[in-house]
Amino acid sequence: MRAGLTLVLVFFAAVVWAQRVADTMTGIFDEHVKSLQVNFADDFFASPIVVLGSNDRIVISFDYLGDERQYLRYSLEHCNASWRPSGLTDSEFLDGFNEGLIEDFDYSQATVVPYVHYRLAIPNEQVNPVISGNYLLKIYKEDAPENVLLQCRFMVTEATAPVSASVSTQTDIDYNKSHQQLSIAVDTERALVEDPFNDLIVVVGQNGRLDNETAFRQPLRMSGRTAIYEHQKPLIFEAGNEYRRFETVNEQYPGMRIDHIEFFEPYYHFVIAEDAPRDEETYLYDETQSGRYMIRRQGADDSDVEADYGVVHFTLDYPESPGTMIFLDGDFVQRRFDENSRMQYNYSTGRYERAMLLKQGSYNYQYLIVPPGERRGFTGAIEGDKYQTMNEYTVRVYHRRRGERYDRLIGTAVVRTDFK
């Protein structure tokens, strides 16, 4: 037990130290802020990537608990391919000032928990990125710019390097078993890439997760001006399983996978039916949203301001594993491994548990295990790794030209598997 506790403390100390040095992950840093979502326009399924110089918009929305409007401002920071600050001056990546006031807001309507809903679109008349790459948006109170309430990532692409990708279950590790493998082709001609073997960085993510995202440089080979990436270890992913789902769209009647609902002042409590490991179960097809969540209240005209908040209770029947940590994964916890997403073992019930305040809606989630000494999560022990799983892979290609000080984002692709 003591050894396990020591490992846990070391892990969290390392995470806290890293976040203090340069925390550029999407995250919420104030308990009053809830339900952060970052979308391409109003497309629930699209990645937060816009094309430079187009009419595309990134829409950021969130709630601030309470019944008074907060005067909130925002600013942008340009980052390199690994999401570290590029060090560029504001004038090098923006047209206009690097600060704006969030003026699109509305008050909650007839909810038990009062809140103010905020909405921001980028680019806009105040802030307009003029180069491609990774961007970090920070939001803070007008009178306290040094205290960031929340931050979120989005990307701007030049779309000059068409990317094509495919996924196979016949991998270099196993055949139709527990992994999936990508093959990627990048047409570099229009992007003016001089040396594809040294000037490109390819980043591949699975279902919006950050812990198992991979980045690598050299293609396997060139076919004319097309860089081919295949039969390389970073292109192989554990297949995982379909995300679990629940719905809290009605506070009077239990929705999908809600065992029962109770009300204890001042919150409704939604108790999810007890979860169990699925690693030994056969694969069951279920078309999920790859870890996303949608705000929705049954019968509401505008769920953004009519959906209420309630305490959602997660319970996992899994034996205690000292030194091993179990985390919830999904957009609703910003894909972070922290105390908010970490499951706690309850000795009185013999179960892992977590309760958190969430807005009514439809949610995707899964459980990830982080073994001692690891910095990433694994699906195998609880969710299982099923080769048939429908996963969503996002490919981003970055290019640093000779003499430039930032990484251009020159091409992106999203590929969704369908092996049913």
Side-chain angles (χ1 to χ4, degrees):
M1 279 291 292
R2 289 182 178 178
L5 179 59
T6 299
L7 286 169
V8 171
L9 293 176
V10 169
F11 175 87
F12 274 107
V15 169
V16 169
W17 180 85
Q19 290 179 352
R20 285 177 178 174
V21 171
D23 183 353
T24 61
M25 291 176 61
T26 294
I28 295 172
F29 311 117
D30 188 289
E31 62 182 4
H32 295 90
V33 179
K34 303 291 182 183
S35 305
L36 171 61
Q37 292 191 303
V38 186
N39 295 319
F40 173 85
D42 291 312
D43 188 342
F44 174 71
F45 295 99
S47 299
I49 304 173
V50 296
V51 177
L52 183 66
S54 71
N55 292 323
D56 295 345
R57 293 291 182 271
I58 295 294
V59 175
I60 299 100
S61 62
F62 60 93
D63 297 335
Y64 193 97
L65 301 187
D67 52 12
E68 293 185 1
R69 177 203 174 179
Q70 306 295 317
Y71 287 86
L72 304 179
R73 290 192 172 272
Y74 62 93
S75 61
L76 294 181
E77 185 165 20
H78 191 275
C79 297
N80 62 21
S82 58
W83 288 100
R84 292 294 173 258
S86 299
L88 302 178
T89 62
D90 294 348
S91 61
E92 290 180 287
F93 64 88
L94 287 177
D95 177 18
F97 297 102
N98 191 8
E99 188 176 56
L101 177 66
I102 301 180
E103 300 178 285
D104 187 352
F105 65 95
D106 201 359
Y107 297 92
S108 60
Q109 301 175 14
T111 56
V112 172
V113 178
Y115 58 87
V116 182
H117 180 72
Y118 295 86
R119 180 182 169 97
L120 171 66
I122 299 285
N124 57 47
E125 294 180 355
Q126 298 171 318
V127 176
N128 181 31
V130 295
I131 64 174
S132 67
N134 293 338
Y135 283 85
L136 183 69
L137 181 140
K138 299 180 180 181
I139 296 176
Y140 42 86
K141 291 184 179 180
E142 188 173 49
D143 58 354
E146 70 281 0
N147 295 325
V148 176
L149 302 179
L150 68 151
Q151 64 187 27
C152 58
R153 294 176 171 184
F154 69 91
M155 289 141 282
V156 178
T157 178
E158 298 175 8
T160 54
V163 180
S164 59
S166 61
V167 185
S168 174
T169 60
Q170 301 174 25
T171 77
D172 295 338
I173 293 179
D174 53 31
Y175 185 97
N176 287 353
K177 191 175 180 182
S178 59
H179 291 82
Q180 296 175 354
Q181 183 166 331
L182 282 78
S183 296
I184 300 170
V186 181
D187 184 347
T188 66
E189 186 170 3
R190 286 179 50 220
L192 304 177
V193 178
E194 295 182 13
D195 184 1
F197 285 91
N198 293 297
D199 296 347
L200 297 181
I201 299 177
V202 176
V203 179
V204 182
Q206 181 193 54
N207 298 328
R209 288 174 58 183
L210 300 178
D211 61 297
N212 67 341
E213 194 173 68
T214 61
F216 50 99
R217 284 187 176 273
Q218 296 191 339
L220 180 70
R221 58 186 173 89
M222 295 293 296
S223 176
R225 296 295 298 168
T226 300
I228 307 296
Y229 301 84
E230 57 187 10
H231 299 293
Q232 294 169 294
K233 188 175 180 181
L235 296 174
I236 303 174
F237 289 80
E238 289 99 354
N241 205 340
E242 305 298 346
Y243 276 75
R244 302 172 191 254
R245 296 192 288 167
F246 71 88
E247 289 189 348
T248 57
V249 298
N250 191 316
E251 66 273 22
Q252 302 301 321
Y253 303 99
M256 177 189 298
R257 297 213 65 250
I258 299 300
D259 183 77
H260 63 277
I261 304 171
E262 298 177 300
F263 182 80
F264 299 108
E265 187 70 32
Y267 302 120
Y268 286 99
H269 290 253
F270 299 86
V271 180
I272 301 175
E274 184 176 272
D275 288 317
R278 301 185 291 171
D279 58 314
E280 296 185 1
E281 297 180 1
T282 58
Y283 171 77
L284 180 63
Y285 169 75
D286 186 14
E287 189 170 351
T288 66
Q289 287 74 49
S290 304
R292 298 178 175 90
Y293 71 97
M294 178 181 290
I295 299 301
R296 187 164 67 90
R297 182 181 189 180
Q298 188 173 333
D301 294 324
D302 184 358
S303 292
D304 284 341
V305 292
E306 294 180 50
D308 215 328
Y309 277 86
V311 179
V312 176
H313 296 260
F314 298 84
T315 305
L316 174 65
D317 182 7
Y318 192 79
E320 183 193 10
S321 303
T324 295
M325 290 175 286
I326 300 175
F327 292 92
L328 287 162
D329 170 62
D331 281 355
F332 69 107
V333 290
Q334 297 88 52
R335 308 291 182 159
R336 285 175 171 258
F337 293 163
D338 57 21
E339 284 296 344
N340 181 55
S341 61
R342 184 186 171 202
M343 301 292 291
Q344 297 284 354
Y345 189 77
N346 186 332
Y347 290 94
S348 64
T349 63
R351 303 288 190 270
Y352 279 91
E353 299 173 354
R354 169 57 61 193
M356 62 181 67
L357 191 66
L358 296 174
K359 200 172 184 179
Q360 286 181 282
S362 302
Y363 287 77
N364 277 197
Y365 70 104
Q366 66 177 352
Y367 296 101
L368 297 178
I369 277 190
V370 178
E374 292 283 351
R375 296 291 183 89
R376 56 154 295 188
F378 294 86
T379 48
I382 298 177
E383 305 296 357
D385 288 313
K386 318 295 183 181
Y387 74 89
Q388 306 98 320
T389 301
M390 294 179 63
N391 287 311
E392 179 181 298
Y393 294 94
T394 302
V395 181
R396 308 193 306 273
V397 181
Y398 297 89
H399 176 216
R400 176 165 294 201
R401 293 180 180 175
R402 305 295 170 83
E404 289 189 334
R405 297 165 44 234
Y406 72 98
D407 296 323
R408 297 170 176 262
L409 179 57
I410 59 174
T412 63
V414 177
V415 56
R416 297 176 176 86
T417 61
D418 188 358
F419 303 117
K420 64 181 186 297

